[in-house]
Amino acid sequence: ELKVEQNPLFLSMQEGKNYTIYCNYSTTSDRLYWYRQDPGKSLESLFVLLSNGAVKQEGRLMASLDTKARLSTLHITAAVHDLSATYFCASNTGNQFYFGTGTSLTVIP
Amino acid sequence: NAGVTQTPKFRVLKTGQSMTLLCAQDMNHEYMYWYRQDPGMGLRLIHYSVGEGTTAKGEVPDGYNVSRLKKQNFLLGLESAAPSQTSVYFCASSYPADFTDTQYFGPGTRLTVL
């Protein structure tokens, strides 16, 4: 069974600041997924990282993958209130996906 | 395209009652999944299907059954509901020929078992 751990679980940050969410996974996998979930809503795909060293950026979010360290990061640059949400990372083995417990991000004006 | 839809959106059951959750997708996706989401535990895979007529167990399959009689539909059944099955249930689908395997999620079903 693949285990996925995220930290921190809760993050409160001021607008304009930078921060990084970390995602560790337990077994060899070449793929890492990041999702966003707004309160009471479904999950929306943010990034799919397919190989070691992959980096993807969209707006103020940038995700990277180090398969040797089994680590992915989601970096937030100059946070704005609209980024407040819960962020999940997930990895897969075979056809099964395993999700982290999520990072609840609150951006404070 | 409607994407992934789920029926019903909300349901309250008494212990021991049965029900079926319906997931439908109009994207011609081969793979479909059922997850449950509980506070502090992320999403956990219940069952999944890699094609019409096939199903397989995920991480937490006990107390649930599934069927995939048509490619576009994936049904999740609770034969005898228990309070521990109170959760939000999400269906997802993906297209394996799309190398990214991105999953597309439905809006969720909030189930309460009393």
Short mmCIF file of all heavy atoms in Angstrom, two decimals, chain A residues 80-108:
data_model
loop_
_atom_site.label_atom_id
_atom_site.label_comp_id
_atom_site.label_asym_id
_atom_site.label_seq_id
_atom_site.Cartn_x
_atom_site.Cartn_y
_atom_site.Cartn_z
N VAL A 80 -2.67 35.19 -2.57
CA VAL A 80 -3.86 36.04 -2.61
C VAL A 80 -5.03 35.26 -2.01
O VAL A 80 -4.99 34.02 -1.95
CB VAL A 80 -4.19 36.51 -4.04
CG1 VAL A 80 -3.13 37.45 -4.56
CG2 VAL A 80 -4.38 35.32 -4.96
N HIS A 81 -6.07 35.98 -1.60
CA HIS A 81 -7.19 35.36 -0.92
C HIS A 81 -7.83 34.23 -1.73
O HIS A 81 -8.27 33.23 -1.19
CB HIS A 81 -8.24 36.41 -0.56
CG HIS A 81 -9.43 35.84 0.15
ND1 HIS A 81 -9.36 35.34 1.44
CD2 HIS A 81 -10.70 35.65 -0.25
CE1 HIS A 81 -10.55 34.90 1.80
NE2 HIS A 81 -11.39 35.07 0.80
N ASP A 82 -7.85 34.39 -3.06
CA ASP A 82 -8.49 33.39 -3.92
C ASP A 82 -7.83 32.01 -3.85
O ASP A 82 -8.41 31.03 -4.30
CB ASP A 82 -8.49 33.86 -5.38
CG ASP A 82 -9.50 34.96 -5.62
OD1 ASP A 82 -10.30 35.23 -4.70
OD2 ASP A 82 -9.48 35.56 -6.70
N LEU A 83 -6.62 31.95 -3.31
CA LEU A 83 -5.94 30.67 -3.19
C LEU A 83 -6.38 29.88 -1.95
O LEU A 83 -5.97 28.74 -1.77
CB LEU A 83 -4.43 30.86 -3.16
CG LEU A 83 -3.80 31.34 -4.46
CD1 LEU A 83 -2.30 31.52 -4.29
CD2 LEU A 83 -4.08 30.37 -5.60
N SER A 84 -7.19 30.48 -1.11
CA SER A 84 -7.69 29.78 0.08
C SER A 84 -8.51 28.58 -0.36
O SER A 84 -9.49 28.70 -1.10
CB SER A 84 -8.56 30.71 0.93
OG SER A 84 -7.81 31.78 1.46
N ALA A 85 -8.09 27.39 0.08
CA ALA A 85 -8.73 26.13 -0.32
C ALA A 85 -7.97 25.00 0.39
O ALA A 85 -7.01 25.24 1.11
CB ALA A 85 -8.66 25.92 -1.83
N THR A 86 -8.40 23.77 0.14
CA THR A 86 -7.64 22.61 0.60
C THR A 86 -6.94 22.00 -0.60
O THR A 86 -7.56 21.79 -1.64
CB THR A 86 -8.56 21.58 1.29
OG1 THR A 86 -9.16 22.18 2.43
CG2 THR A 86 -7.74 20.37 1.74
N TYR A 87 -5.68 21.71 -0.43
CA TYR A 87 -4.87 21.17 -1.51
C TYR A 87 -4.47 19.72 -1.17
O TYR A 87 -4.01 19.43 -0.07
CB TYR A 87 -3.61 22.02 -1.71
CG TYR A 87 -3.95 23.39 -2.23
CD1 TYR A 87 -4.29 24.42 -1.34
CD2 TYR A 87 -3.98 23.67 -3.60
CE1 TYR A 87 -4.64 25.68 -1.80
CE2 TYR A 87 -4.33 24.91 -4.07
CZ TYR A 87 -4.66 25.91 -3.16
OH TYR A 87 -5.01 27.16 -3.62
N PHE A 88 -4.70 18.85 -2.12
CA PHE A 88 -4.37 17.43 -1.95
C PHE A 88 -3.31 17.02 -2.96
O PHE A 88 -3.36 17.42 -4.12
CB PHE A 88 -5.60 16.55 -2.20
CG PHE A 88 -6.68 16.68 -1.16
CD1 PHE A 88 -7.74 17.55 -1.36
CD2 PHE A 88 -6.66 15.91 -0.01
CE1 PHE A 88 -8.75 17.67 -0.43
CE2 PHE A 88 -7.66 16.02 0.93
CZ PHE A 88 -8.70 16.91 0.72
N CYS A 89 -2.39 16.19 -2.51
CA CYS A 89 -1.52 15.51 -3.44
C CYS A 89 -1.95 14.04 -3.49
O CYS A 89 -2.58 13.53 -2.54
CB CYS A 89 -0.05 15.63 -3.07
SG CYS A 89 0.41 14.89 -1.50
N ALA A 90 -1.64 13.38 -4.57
CA ALA A 90 -2.00 11.97 -4.72
C ALA A 90 -0.96 11.29 -5.59
O ALA A 90 -0.36 11.92 -6.47
CB ALA A 90 -3.39 11.82 -5.34
N SER A 91 -0.75 10.01 -5.33
CA SER A 91 0.10 9.23 -6.20
C SER A 91 -0.62 7.93 -6.51
O SER A 91 -1.67 7.64 -5.92
CB SER A 91 1.45 8.96 -5.54
OG SER A 91 2.35 8.39 -6.47
N ASN A 92 -0.10 7.17 -7.44
CA ASN A 92 -0.78 5.93 -7.80
C ASN A 92 0.20 4.79 -7.99
O ASN A 92 1.37 4.98 -8.30
CB ASN A 92 -1.67 6.12 -9.02
CG ASN A 92 -0.89 6.45 -10.27
OD1 ASN A 92 0.25 6.91 -10.19
ND2 ASN A 92 -1.49 6.25 -11.42
N THR A 93 -0.32 3.61 -7.76
CA THR A 93 0.41 2.39 -8.04
C THR A 93 -0.58 1.43 -8.68
O THR A 93 -1.67 1.21 -8.14
CB THR A 93 1.05 1.80 -6.77
OG1 THR A 93 1.67 0.57 -7.10
CG2 THR A 93 0.05 1.58 -5.66
N GLY A 94 -0.23 0.93 -9.84
CA GLY A 94 -1.21 0.17 -10.60
C GLY A 94 -2.35 1.10 -10.97
O GLY A 94 -2.14 2.22 -11.42
N ASN A 95 -3.56 0.67 -10.72
CA ASN A 95 -4.72 1.51 -11.03
C ASN A 95 -5.29 2.18 -9.79
O ASN A 95 -6.36 2.78 -9.86
CB ASN A 95 -5.81 0.65 -11.68
CG ASN A 95 -5.38 0.12 -13.03
OD1 ASN A 95 -4.84 0.87 -13.82
ND2 ASN A 95 -5.60 -1.15 -13.27
N GLN A 96 -4.60 2.09 -8.68
CA GLN A 96 -5.12 2.65 -7.43
C GLN A 96 -4.43 3.96 -7.10
O GLN A 96 -3.21 4.08 -7.18
CB GLN A 96 -4.93 1.66 -6.29
CG GLN A 96 -5.68 0.36 -6.49
CD GLN A 96 -5.99 -0.34 -5.20
OE1 GLN A 96 -6.23 0.29 -4.18
NE2 GLN A 96 -5.99 -1.67 -5.24
N PHE A 97 -5.24 4.92 -6.71
CA PHE A 97 -4.75 6.23 -6.32
C PHE A 97 -4.81 6.36 -4.80
O PHE A 97 -5.77 5.93 -4.17
CB PHE A 97 -5.59 7.33 -6.97
CG PHE A 97 -5.31 7.50 -8.42
CD1 PHE A 97 -5.82 6.62 -9.35
CD2 PHE A 97 -4.53 8.55 -8.88
CE1 PHE A 97 -5.57 6.77 -10.70
CE2 PHE A 97 -4.27 8.72 -10.23
CZ PHE A 97 -4.78 7.82 -11.14
N TYR A 98 -3.78 7.00 -4.24
CA TYR A 98 -3.72 7.24 -2.81
C TYR A 98 -3.52 8.74 -2.59
O TYR A 98 -2.63 9.34 -3.19
CB TYR A 98 -2.58 6.45 -2.17
CG TYR A 98 -2.79 4.96 -2.27
CD1 TYR A 98 -2.38 4.25 -3.39
CD2 TYR A 98 -3.41 4.27 -1.24
CE1 TYR A 98 -2.57 2.88 -3.49
CE2 TYR A 98 -3.61 2.90 -1.32
CZ TYR A 98 -3.19 2.21 -2.45
OH TYR A 98 -3.39 0.87 -2.54
N PHE A 99 -4.37 9.28 -1.73
CA PHE A 99 -4.36 10.72 -1.49
C PHE A 99 -3.74 11.05 -0.14
O PHE A 99 -3.88 10.29 0.83
CB PHE A 99 -5.79 11.27 -1.51
CG PHE A 99 -6.36 11.43 -2.88
CD1 PHE A 99 -6.76 10.32 -3.62
CD2 PHE A 99 -6.48 12.69 -3.45
CE1 PHE A 99 -7.27 10.46 -4.90
CE2 PHE A 99 -7.00 12.84 -4.73
CZ PHE A 99 -7.39 11.73 -5.45
N GLY A 100 -3.10 12.20 -0.07
CA GLY A 100 -2.71 12.75 1.22
C GLY A 100 -3.94 13.27 1.95
O GLY A 100 -5.04 13.33 1.39
N THR A 101 -3.74 13.65 3.20
CA THR A 101 -4.88 14.09 4.03
C THR A 101 -5.28 15.54 3.74
O THR A 101 -6.28 16.01 4.23
CB THR A 101 -4.57 13.96 5.52
OG1 THR A 101 -3.33 14.60 5.79
CG2 THR A 101 -4.48 12.49 5.92
N GLY A 102 -4.48 16.22 2.92
CA GLY A 102 -4.85 17.58 2.52
C GLY A 102 -4.18 18.64 3.37
O GLY A 102 -3.86 18.43 4.54
N THR A 103 -3.97 19.79 2.76
CA THR A 103 -3.47 20.99 3.45
C THR A 103 -4.51 22.08 3.31
O THR A 103 -4.81 22.48 2.18
CB THR A 103 -2.13 21.46 2.86
OG1 THR A 103 -1.13 20.45 3.06
CG2 THR A 103 -1.69 22.76 3.50
N SER A 104 -5.06 22.49 4.43
CA SER A 104 -6.06 23.55 4.41
C SER A 104 -5.36 24.90 4.48
O SER A 104 -4.74 25.24 5.49
CB SER A 104 -7.02 23.38 5.59
OG SER A 104 -7.96 24.44 5.62
N LEU A 105 -5.46 25.63 3.39
CA LEU A 105 -4.77 26.91 3.27
C LEU A 105 -5.75 28.06 3.44
O LEU A 105 -6.78 28.11 2.77
CB LEU A 105 -4.09 27.02 1.91
CG LEU A 105 -3.52 28.39 1.53
CD1 LEU A 105 -2.37 28.75 2.47
CD2 LEU A 105 -3.05 28.40 0.08
N THR A 106 -5.42 28.97 4.34
CA THR A 106 -6.19 30.19 4.51
C THR A 106 -5.27 31.37 4.29
O THR A 106 -4.22 31.48 4.94
CB THR A 106 -6.79 30.28 5.92
OG1 THR A 106 -7.61 29.12 6.16
CG2 THR A 106 -7.65 31.53 6.06
N VAL A 107 -5.64 32.22 3.36
CA VAL A 107 -4.85 33.42 3.08
C VAL A 107 -5.54 34.60 3.73
O VAL A 107 -6.71 34.89 3.43
CB VAL A 107 -4.69 33.64 1.57
CG1 VAL A 107 -3.86 34.90 1.32
CG2 VAL A 107 -4.04 32.43 0.92
N ILE A 108 -4.81 35.27 4.60
CA ILE A 108 -5.38 36.38 5.39
C ILE A 108 -4.99 37.71 4.78
O ILE A 108 -3.82 37.92 4.45
CB ILE A 108 -4.86 36.30 6.83
CG1 ILE A 108 -5.21 34.93 7.44
CG2 ILE A 108 -5.44 37.41 7.68
CD1 ILE A 108 -4.48 34.69 8.74
#
